[in-house]
Amino acid sequence: MFSLTVCDHIMIAHSFQGEEFGPAQRMHGATYAVEAEFRAPKLDRLNLLRRILDTVDYRNLDEMPQFQGQNTTTEYMAFHIWGLLAAALKDGVLGEGGRAVSGLKVLLREAPGAWAAYEGAIY
Amino acid sequence: MFSLTVCDHIMIAHSFQGEEFGPAQRMHGATYAVEAEFRAPKLDRLNLLRRILDTVDYRNLDEMPQFQGQNTTTEYMAFHIWGLLAAALKDGVLGEGGRAVSGLKVLLREAPGAWAAYEGAIY
Amino acid sequence: MFSLTVCDHIMIAHSFQGEEFGPAQRMHGATYAVEAEFRAPKLDRLNLLRRILDTVDYRNLDEMPQFQGQNTTTEYMAFHIWGLLAAALKDGVLGEGGRAVSGLKVLLREAPGAWAAYEGAIY
Amino acid sequence: MFSLTVCDHIMIAHSFQGEEFGPAQRMHGATYAVEAEFRAPKLDRLNLLRRILDTVDYRNLDEMPQFQGQNTTTEYMAFHIWGLLAAALKDGVLGEGGRAVSGLKVLLREAPGAWAAYEGAIY
Amino acid sequence: MFSLTVCDHIMIAHSFQGEEFGPAQRMHGATYAVEAEFRAPKLDRLNLLRRILDTVDYRNLDEMPQFQGQNTTTEYMAFHIWGLLAAALKDGVLGEGGRAVSGLKVLLREAPGAWAAYEGAIY
Amino acid sequence: MFSLTVCDHIMIAHSFQGEEFGPAQRMHGATYAVEAEFRAPKLDRLNLLRRILDTVDYRNLDEMPQFQGQNTTTEYMAFHIWGLLAAALKDGVLGEGGRAVSGLKVLLREAPGAWAAYEGAIY
């Protein structure tokens, strides 16, 4: 099984609901270093990821309709970006190469010693 | 000359004024990985930095009085944290060891391939 | 599948038995940068790992009863810490969130270019 | 399951065939930081990898017979090195320990934010 | 003193003259991760570096007229890129901000554990 | 000014005297990732550092005569290795190239977020 990983990053603002989040209930932000691992032999390496990250980059996630009532934790954002990438692959955005992708993992590093990921098969 | 570097990080929200900032004029955020390099032989390694970072960690910098009319760019925030650390050293917060510090550099990594720093002598 | 990774580190002394270990038969030590990857949606991110690492941090492993007759190689220590974390998860130390964890991987970096890991399912 | 990862690097020259490769059709080169992950309890950690990398290190891959008609992309080179390591393990080069290896992953970092890997079971 | 560092990378082919270079006398290549540290308050962060790196990226340095009779070692390439950046700064390519730059350091990482740099004042 | 940095690492055991060291008063250890930055145009890149590190690698520093009565902190070990490298440079161990070295910095990373260095001119 081949895998190909491309990296990029986004810088967002958000706040969390719930006492267990402590000071993270305040409006704050994060640089998320994003690693997208595609499990398939050949792919356009960079353009797809950048296009999808542009939909959330330099945004206050609290004000975006799609995130209402949702804590945009690191693991949730990994899942959200995974969903956008998986949909693009199924839509044939990457051509035949993209349709050959069988698995996808999206990992977001929020700080030097903490990260979260979501991975799943692509049908 | 000895130097001792300690690292920590903060997660903040902010926005920039000025067309040259493009999408960064929108409310967004950053994880700043902070490296503070003290030039002196012996120091309390971690507690001072954490206490100072707490004043800006998990904050929307746009709403803090001390940053009004100021773009809180990475280089400005390096300078701001440098100023707080330098003042603490002069105030004797770190005891004799702290008073022996002759130089200080504060470096903030905002993303895997971009960082800024401020350095200067401590009198 | 979600995964959440937290990092910390320990600094230990030890020595190995067996000629194949060469100079590592002498009392020496290591900084182990520990990465614990939990496969589950929500967890207390830091406190559990730190509490478990405290049982071996700043220790001479050669003098600890539980390691007698055992070479405390990097891979063995990954397995040892894995066992402590897995037991804590089963004991409900992390509450409902912890009981939802289905997989765990513990990775120890002993040097910039060498690391070992142990991973397994949690029942 | 245990895993043990060793790292090393090679520096090669090559060029790619096909308009989709753009400027990479010109003779250029790469430092590939190689990570070999062995899934097994005990192994000679470094010597095997170095010996295998020597067959391609400091070479112009375009002039090597085994790569004629093949674009030596990062993912292909990961697969190539995987094949050499897998064959050595089966040949018993690492003794009983090597024969116990059940899985192998070879990952090549070609730049700070881009890497590829090949992984598979060893029978 | 402020400093601002931007990073990018190039992938080149070359060979060295001189027995002391051993296997590096053969045509080989390198990924050079480039870090350019500008000592000044405000700058166009990315575009200048990319434009200058394009002049050597994806090239066989042995065939470029400006490198004839010169071993393009890591330290030499750091000096070469430093010269191009310094000239662009003096030519006013970056406007007033660029003319305020008083120092410049260019660092090239050729492998995980080896790098070289050239630094100097800008008049 | 050129600089050339080479990296290697050592794994040692030691303990500290003084209540302010807390649990580090117990026998423990460290992996020190060592970075030696030579300020000069051309040098034998690797062999000198390795030879010097061998004098402390895989050792219990508490039992070595040269460290009696001395806390072998990270900053002290940086100074110690600096002294050995500086003496070797003056003794002409690196030939004419070594005698041209005018500055030297030795940096030891003891953990992902903590390091210390010693730097000074070579006469």
Side-chain angles (χ1 to χ4, degrees):
Chain A
M1 174 62 74
F2 286 96
S3 63
L4 203 51
T5 302
V6 292
C7 304
D8 206 327
H9 71 274
I10 52 174
M11 304 181 81
I12 57 88
H14 60 173
S15 62
F16 296 157
Q17 305 290 324
E19 281 188 15
E20 71 275 23
F21 286 103
Q25 294 174 87
R26 299 195 295 249
M27 170 66 62
H28 64 287
T31 304
Y32 286 130
V34 182
E35 301 177 7
E37 179 189 292
F38 299 91
R39 302 191 146 248
K42 268 187 186 175
L43 276 170
D44 166 20
R45 293 199 180 189
L46 283 172
N47 299 344
L48 178 64
L49 182 59
R50 185 65 256 166
R51 224 175 316 148
I52 276 167
L53 295 182
D54 279 341
T55 63
V56 287
D57 202 6
Y58 288 112
R59 297 281 177 190
N60 179 350
L61 305 183
D62 291 0
E63 295 180 350
M64 297 179 74
Q66 62 265 52
F67 300 128
Q68 294 310 307
Q70 175 64 50
N71 277 328
T72 52
T73 57
T74 309
E75 53 268 32
Y76 180 79
M77 291 309 294
F79 170 67
H80 175 76
I81 294 168
W82 187 94
L84 295 176
L85 280 169
L89 289 170
K90 288 181 202 167
D91 287 356
V93 168
L94 289 183
E96 285 314 301
R99 262 187 274 268
V101 174
S102 61
L104 176 64
K105 179 179 183 177
V106 174
L107 184 152
L108 267 64
R109 297 183 191 272
E110 69 175 68
W115 57 89
Y118 184 80
E119 64 183 300
I122 303 283
Y123 305 105
Chain B
M1 173 63 75
F2 286 96
S3 63
L4 204 51
T5 302
V6 292
C7 303
D8 207 327
H9 71 274
I10 52 175
M11 305 181 81
I12 57 88
H14 61 172
S15 62
F16 296 157
Q17 305 290 323
E19 281 188 16
E20 70 275 24
F21 286 104
Q25 293 174 86
R26 299 196 296 250
M27 170 65 62
H28 63 286
T31 304
Y32 286 131
V34 183
E35 300 177 8
E37 179 189 292
F38 299 91
R39 302 190 146 249
K42 269 188 186 173
L43 278 169
D44 166 19
R45 292 196 180 192
L46 283 172
N47 299 344
L48 178 64
L49 181 60
R50 185 65 258 165
R51 226 175 315 149
I52 276 167
L53 294 183
D54 279 341
T55 63
V56 286
D57 202 6
Y58 288 112
R59 296 280 177 189
N60 179 353
L61 305 184
D62 292 0
E63 295 179 352
M64 297 179 74
Q66 61 265 54
F67 299 130
Q68 294 310 307
Q70 175 65 48
N71 277 328
T72 52
T73 57
T74 310
E75 54 269 31
Y76 180 79
M77 292 308 293
F79 171 67
H80 175 76
I81 294 167
W82 186 95
L84 296 175
L85 280 169
L89 290 169
K90 289 181 202 168
D91 286 355
V93 169
L94 289 184
E96 286 314 300
R99 261 187 275 269
V101 174
S102 60
L104 176 65
K105 178 179 183 177
V106 173
L107 184 151
L108 267 64
R109 296 183 191 271
E110 71 174 66
W115 57 90
Y118 184 80
E119 63 183 298
I122 303 283
Y123 306 105
Chain C
M1 174 62 75
F2 286 96
S3 63
L4 204 51
T5 302
V6 292
C7 304
D8 206 326
H9 70 274
I10 52 173
M11 305 180 82
I12 57 88
H14 60 174
S15 62
F16 296 158
Q17 304 290 323
E19 281 188 16
E20 70 275 23
F21 286 103
Q25 294 174 87
R26 298 195 295 248
M27 170 66 61
H28 63 286
T31 304
Y32 285 131
V34 183
E35 301 177 7
E37 179 189 292
F38 298 92
R39 303 192 146 246
K42 270 187 185 173
L43 276 171
D44 166 18
R45 294 198 181 190
L46 283 171
N47 300 343
L48 178 63
L49 181 58
R50 185 63 258 166
R51 226 174 317 147
I52 276 168
L53 294 183
D54 279 341
T55 62
V56 286
D57 202 6
Y58 288 112
R59 296 282 177 190
N60 179 351
L61 306 184
D62 292 359
E63 294 179 353
M64 297 179 73
Q66 62 264 55
F67 300 130
Q68 293 311 307
Q70 175 64 49
N71 277 328
T72 52
T73 57
T74 310
E75 54 268 31
Y76 180 79
M77 291 309 293
F79 170 69
H80 175 77
I81 294 168
W82 186 94
L84 295 176
L85 279 168
L89 289 169
K90 288 182 203 167
D91 287 355
V93 168
L94 288 183
E96 285 314 301
R99 261 186 274 267
V101 175
S102 59
L104 176 64
K105 178 179 182 177
V106 173
L107 184 152
L108 268 65
R109 296 183 191 271
E110 70 174 67
W115 57 89
Y118 184 80
E119 64 183 298
I122 303 283
Y123 306 105
Chain D
M1 174 63 75
F2 286 97
S3 64
L4 204 52
T5 302
V6 292
C7 303
D8 206 327
H9 71 275
I10 52 174
M11 305 180 81
I12 57 88
H14 61 173
S15 62
F16 296 158
Q17 305 291 323
E19 280 188 16
E20 71 275 23
F21 286 103
Q25 294 175 86
R26 298 195 295 248
M27 169 65 61
H28 62 287
T31 304
Y32 285 131
V34 183
E35 301 177 7
E37 179 189 291
F38 299 91
R39 302 191 146 247
K42 270 189 186 173
L43 278 168
D44 166 20
R45 293 196 181 193
L46 283 170
N47 300 345
L48 179 63
L49 181 59
R50 185 63 257 166
R51 226 176 315 149
I52 276 167
L53 294 183
D54 278 340
T55 63
V56 287
D57 202 5
Y58 289 112
R59 297 280 177 190
N60 179 351
L61 305 184
D62 292 0
E63 294 179 352
M64 297 179 73
Q66 62 265 53
F67 299 130
Q68 293 311 307
Q70 175 65 49
N71 277 328
T72 51
T73 57
T74 309
E75 53 268 33
Y76 180 79
M77 291 309 294
F79 171 67
H80 175 77
I81 294 168
W82 186 94
L84 295 176
L85 280 169
L89 289 169
K90 289 181 202 168
D91 286 355
V93 168
L94 289 183
E96 285 315 300
R99 261 187 275 267
V101 174
S102 60
L104 176 64
K105 178 180 184 176
V106 174
L107 184 152
L108 267 66
R109 297 183 190 272
E110 70 174 67
W115 57 89
Y118 184 81
E119 63 182 299
I122 303 282
Y123 306 106
Chain E
M1 173 63 75
F2 286 96
S3 63
L4 204 51
T5 302
V6 293
C7 304
D8 206 328
H9 72 274
I10 52 174
M11 305 181 82
I12 56 89
H14 60 173
S15 63
F16 296 158
Q17 305 290 323
E19 280 188 17
E20 70 275 23
F21 286 103
Q25 294 174 88
R26 299 196 294 249
M27 170 66 61
H28 64 286
T31 304
Y32 285 131
V34 183
E35 301 177 7
E37 179 189 290
F38 298 91
R39 302 191 146 246
K42 269 188 184 173
L43 277 170
D44 166 18
R45 293 197 181 191
L46 282 173
N47 299 344
L48 178 64
L49 181 59
R50 186 64 258 167
R51 225 175 316 148
I52 276 166
L53 294 182
D54 278 340
T55 63
V56 287
D57 202 6
Y58 287 112
R59 297 280 177 190
N60 179 351
L61 305 184
D62 291 0
E63 295 179 352
M64 297 179 74
Q66 61 265 53
F67 299 130
Q68 293 310 308
Q70 174 65 49
N71 277 329
T72 52
T73 56
T74 309
E75 54 268 31
Y76 180 79
M77 291 309 293
F79 171 68
H80 175 76
I81 294 168
W82 186 94
L84 295 176
L85 280 169
L89 290 169
K90 288 181 201 165
D91 287 355
V93 168
L94 289 183
E96 286 314 299
R99 261 188 275 268
V101 174
S102 60
L104 176 65
K105 179 179 183 176
V106 173
L107 184 152
L108 268 64
R109 296 183 191 272
E110 69 174 66
W115 57 88
Y118 184 80
E119 64 183 298
I122 303 283
Y123 306 105
Chain F
M1 173 63 74
F2 286 96
S3 63
L4 204 50
T5 302
V6 292
C7 304
D8 207 326
H9 71 274
I10 52 174
M11 305 180 82
I12 56 87
H14 60 174
S15 62
F16 296 158
Q17 304 290 323
E19 281 188 16
E20 70 275 24
F21 286 103
Q25 294 173 89
R26 299 195 295 249
M27 170 66 61
H28 64 288
T31 304
Y32 285 131
V34 183
E35 301 177 7
E37 178 189 293
F38 298 92
R39 304 192 144 246
K42 270 189 185 171
L43 277 170
D44 166 19
R45 294 196 179 192
L46 283 172
N47 300 344
L48 179 63
L49 181 58
R50 185 64 258 164
R51 225 175 317 148
I52 276 168
L53 295 182
D54 278 340
T55 62
V56 287
D57 202 5
Y58 288 113
R59 296 281 177 190
N60 180 351
L61 305 184
D62 292 359
E63 294 179 351
M64 298 179 73
Q66 62 264 54
F67 300 130
Q68 293 311 307
Q70 174 65 49
N71 277 328
T72 52
T73 58
T74 310
E75 54 269 31
Y76 180 79
M77 291 310 292
F79 171 68
H80 175 77
I81 294 168
W82 186 94
L84 295 176
L85 279 169
L89 289 169
K90 288 181 202 168
D91 287 355
V93 168
L94 288 184
E96 286 314 301
R99 261 187 275 268
V101 174
S102 60
L104 176 65
K105 179 179 182 176
V106 173
L107 185 152
L108 267 64
R109 296 183 191 273
E110 70 174 67
W115 57 89
Y118 185 80
E119 63 183 297
I122 304 284
Y123 306 105

